[in-house]
Amino acid sequence: MTLLLHTETPASEWWREGVIYQIYPRSFASSSGPIGGLPGIISKLGYLRDLGVDALWLSPFYLSPQKDAGYDVANYRQVDPMFGTNDDATRLIAAAHGCGLRIIVDLVPNHTSDQHEWFQAALTNPHAPERELYWFVDETDEPPTDWLSVFGGAAWTRVCERPDAPGSAWEDDRSWYLHLFDSSQPDLNWRNPKVRAEFRDILRYWLDLGVDGFRVDVAHGLVKDPQLPNWQYHYDMVAGSGDAAGSIPPPPQWNRPEVHEIYREWRAVLNEYGTDKALVAEAWVDDLSDLANYVRPDEMYQAFNFDFLSAPYTVDSYRHTIRESLAAMDAVGAPTTWVLSNHDVVRAVSRFGLSKTGKGPNGIRPGDEQPDAVLGFNRALAAHVLQAALPGSCYIYQGEELGLPEHMALPDSVRQDPAFFRTKGAEAGRDGCRVPIPWQADAPGYGFSPSGVSWLPHLDSAHELAADVQDRDPESTLSLFRRLFAQRKRLQMARASLYETDEVAPYLHYVSRLSGRADVHVIITFDTPAPLPDQARIIIQSRNLGENLAQDAARSVPPNAAVWFTTD
Ligand code: BGC
């Protein structure tokens, strides 16, 4: 029995088919001090071109007090001196384009930093007009609602309880302001036309500078129910409320229908610049059909597929998620995206080695369950080989191409994630997936910065996983990724039809079909091996199956592996 999951599409805009590489600037490469920056990225463009990716998405590099690693923006049009200058941004865009790489920048519209000039003005007195740009509520005994911050604790802070209140003009101000994240990240009021006009202008600023698109942070959070009703549930980073069954009331602060008007406005702005500018939603919603609403024809172009990232490594879960993701995005004509890691979750190599796979915990510490490293690595590579075969666009997070695991031995003294502090250490937080990239095995600090210093310690395995070592080794993870992306492009996997065969097998077997080339078969295994046809000619395999496949009389794909092959 064969099931058509997706139908071939004509070659079209790059963002429908591209491999998009996420750069977390502070940890990618530094040309000066302990923090990475834009000149460091420029120095690695050759590496990224050779990896075979199509675009780079840069996490925020704007002026920021860095209370949430730059997702707290004080000035949306200025590069933070910590990362470089606006001229560096211009140089980066030009140099990347010269290497055939597009640039997507991060836009953080749900909240500003508390150091943003609007919020600073709003603090000064209760009647400042800038208060209308945020969610201030006059003094009440209790917080205006029972809403929880995603990072832990209440989502409201009294102005007079801010750390900067003593001795300030606001030291007696008992009004509250809303922050769905850290108290240093006040939520903007998107019902205010000034907020809307400002962000249209910010889009134009970066488009005029030559960027190729935007990743929209917390796209599901911008509009709140103005009645501010209570809603006591926790909304989890990436996973949302986890209530796909709809048994809890719809959140008044997340995924409100009015949010879509904003994206229609933005789409109109992007349309002024042609159709090859990307707009990518980071929206944690509980249902794929809700996600599809963000990528309707007059809204954004694509959305991160967190269902795929969060799917447990089981045949049923993968089968279901892949079917449902393609159906939901095809229904609105948007490309599906395939993503396994980012700067907010435990790296796939480690997540997949835990006894319970899925979205995983918020960080891993020495006292927590430690992953089975080999199992996690094998599964993550299998998932990458599958991911690159599926129709749509493919996201990878810096270091995935090196097989980097999570740093699980960070001392608490170096942690910076506000989630660690706001949960009073109950959650380790996200620092473990954000440690610097090891570029050179034998250089000080693994070549991350000229002096060898880095803002977080390196992985214990940095020496063996360093990029220069892997570069020379044809069997390395880096070499595998280069071959993988080259084959994906050559075979135009991103725009092919996809068929699922055999609905009951304990493994998944897909067929990628495109007019003008032979079918490409893709098998991913889970707990058990899968048979491989005698005539199979291997195109790519997730790990060194060479000896198994060439010499094994039974011709099978071992457990926790993936392979592409033809039979012609
Ligand atoms: C970003 C996080 C950030 C949060 C608040 C997220 O979705 O990916 O890193 O902490 O938004 O801006």
Side-chain angles (χ1 to χ4, degrees):
M1 167 74 176
T2 302
L3 195 66
L4 174 63
L5 299 187
H6 175 79
T7 306
E8 167 178 344
T9 48
S12 57
E13 295 92 346
W14 65 272
W15 43 265
R16 288 186 177 271
E17 301 169 11
V19 176
I20 300 162
Y21 182 98
Q22 181 189 355
I23 291 187
Y24 195 64
R26 51 170 44 234
S27 302
F28 188 63
S30 167
S31 62
S32 48
I35 300 214
L38 304 187
I41 300 172
I42 294 174
S43 74
K44 301 294 180 195
L45 288 173
Y47 168 89
L48 295 163
R49 179 201 52 217
D50 295 348
L51 179 58
V53 303
D54 300 284
L56 311 177
W57 147 36
L58 273 58
S59 282
F61 49 75
Y62 317 107
L63 190 72
S64 160
Q66 302 288 319
K67 291 285 175 51
D68 184 21
Y71 282 94
D72 48 325
V73 181
N75 184 330
Y76 290 84
R77 296 178 187 80
Q78 190 187 329
V79 174
D80 195 297
M82 159 185 291
F83 296 120
T85 62
N86 282 39
D87 282 348
D88 290 332
T90 309
R91 281 199 304 126
L92 170 60
I93 295 165
H97 288 169
C99 290
L101 297 165
R102 319 258 177 169
I103 296 283
I104 294 178
V105 294
D106 220 306
L107 189 71
V108 187
N110 180 65
H111 43 265
T112 67
S113 158
D114 61 0
Q115 302 305 308
H116 189 283
E117 62 179 358
W118 284 355
F119 194 74
Q120 286 293 306
L123 279 178
T124 53
N125 84 71
H127 308 293
E130 286 80 4
R131 288 223 167 175
E132 301 299 319
L133 307 176
Y134 295 92
W135 289 92
F136 278 87
V137 175
D138 291 346
E139 175 179 347
T140 48
D141 288 341
E142 296 295 320
T145 68
D146 58 2
W147 299 358
L148 297 171
S149 153
V150 171
F151 291 156
W156 297 91
T157 291
R158 273 194 204 278
V159 172
C160 60
E161 284 167 5
R162 288 176 49 80
D164 56 4
S168 72
W170 51 90
E171 68 179 345
D172 296 321
D173 183 347
R174 291 171 52 80
S175 41
W176 302 89
Y177 66 92
L178 174 67
H179 52 87
L180 292 178
F181 294 88
D182 189 52
S183 56
S184 63
Q185 294 167 296
D187 278 55
L188 285 165
N189 177 2
W190 274 86
R191 294 182 182 269
N192 191 300
K194 189 166 173 191
V195 171
R196 294 167 88 121
E198 170 69 354
F199 274 84
R200 287 195 301 269
D201 199 64
I202 292 167
L203 288 174
R204 288 199 175 91
Y205 177 85
W206 289 100
L207 288 165
D208 289 341
L209 225 62
V211 303
D212 302 288
F214 301 88
R215 174 261 189 194
V216 181
D217 190 62
V218 194
H220 56 301
L222 277 50
V223 178
K224 282 85 182 168
D225 181 340
Q227 304 302 318
L228 300 180
N230 278 334
W231 194 80
Q232 63 187 305
Y233 307 93
H234 186 65
Y235 211 74
D236 198 17
M237 178 149 284
V238 174
S241 73
D243 178 44
S247 52
I248 57 180
Q253 70 282 55
W254 302 113
N255 194 30
R256 303 269 309 166
E258 302 89 331
V259 83
H260 297 288
E261 291 162 21
I262 298 167
Y263 303 128
R264 292 194 189 100
E265 279 179 23
W266 290 8
R267 177 64 173 263
V269 173
L270 259 73
N271 286 348
E272 295 166 17
Y273 292 79
T275 57
D276 69 342
K277 304 291 183 191
L279 201 51
V280 187
E282 186 220 25
W284 323 323
V285 293
D286 292 328
D287 196 296
L288 277 161
S289 62
D290 277 343
L291 191 65
N293 286 339
Y294 288 77
V295 291
R296 286 175 288 195
D298 57 350
E299 296 195 33
M300 300 212 219
Y301 287 116
Q302 62 193 30
F304 294 115
N305 184 351
F306 291 133
D307 281 32
F308 184 66
L309 182 153
S310 308
Y313 192 83
T314 65
V315 66
D316 290 340
S317 155
Y318 267 49
R319 190 194 314 272
H320 174 78
T321 307
I322 291 168
R323 275 187 196 174
E324 298 296 313
S325 308
L326 286 166
M329 296 303 131
D330 281 350
V332 290
T336 307
T337 66
W338 307 102
V339 47
L340 290 165
S341 296
N342 64 27
H343 64 292
D344 290 330
V345 295
V346 169
R347 283 180 175 273
V349 161
S350 302
R351 243 172 45 230
F352 283 144
L354 292 171
S355 50
K356 184 167 171 281
T357 52
K359 193 222 133 191
N362 189 11
I364 300 178
R365 276 186 285 192
D368 300 333
E369 182 199 342
Q370 299 296 296
D372 176 330
V374 173
L375 181 65
F377 180 74
N378 287 342
R379 286 175 169 173
L381 284 200
H384 281 300
V385 167
L386 170 70
Q387 163 192 42
L390 296 173
S393 62
C394 172
Y395 280 81
I396 63 162
Y397 175 47
Q398 65 180 39
E400 285 194 294
E401 78 282 15
L402 301 172
L404 299 189
E406 185 81 357
H407 198 317
M408 293 168 287
L410 286 177
D412 286 349
S413 58
V414 303
R415 294 192 187 282
Q416 301 207 7
D417 185 352
F420 171 73
F421 298 104
R422 291 189 64 89
T423 61
K424 303 193 168 42
E427 294 181 6
R430 300 162 291 172
D431 296 302
C433 66
R434 299 174 173 183
V435 301
I437 298 292
W439 291 104
Q440 290 169 271
D442 295 319
Y446 306 105
F448 171 72
S449 64
S451 64
V453 292
S454 54
W455 70 285
L456 280 178
H458 278 273
L459 289 165
D460 293 341
S461 50
H463 188 269
E464 73 195 76
L465 296 178
D468 65 339
V469 174
Q470 298 206 34
D471 179 53
R472 296 190 291 267
D473 175 3
E475 298 300 320
S476 69
T477 309
L478 177 59
S479 298
L480 169 67
F481 268 87
R482 287 177 179 155
R483 289 195 300 276
L484 182 65
F485 293 150
Q487 293 290 6
R488 170 187 158 91
K489 195 160 278 175
R490 181 179 74 82
L491 295 163
Q492 302 181 68
M493 302 295 277
R495 65 177 199 87
S497 298
L498 192 75
Y499 293 83
E500 180 193 311
T501 70
D502 198 341
E503 286 177 45
V504 290
Y507 55 86
L508 293 171
H509 180 172
Y510 296 104
V511 177
S512 165
R513 180 164 298 163
L514 189 71
S515 349
R517 68 140 161 81
D519 285 351
V520 178
H521 295 255
V522 180
I523 288 181
I524 180 167
T525 57
F526 297 86
D527 297 333
T528 54
L532 194 70
D534 285 344
Q535 68 277 32
R537 285 196 296 122
I538 305 300
I539 300 170
I540 194 109
Q541 54 206 19
S542 68
R543 55 193 164 105
N544 195 8
L545 309 181
E547 62 280 15
N548 303 356
L549 296 172
Q551 292 151 24
D552 184 349
R555 298 274 290 168
S556 65
V557 185
N560 303 307
V563 60
W564 302 5
F565 62 90
T566 56
T567 53
D568 295 329

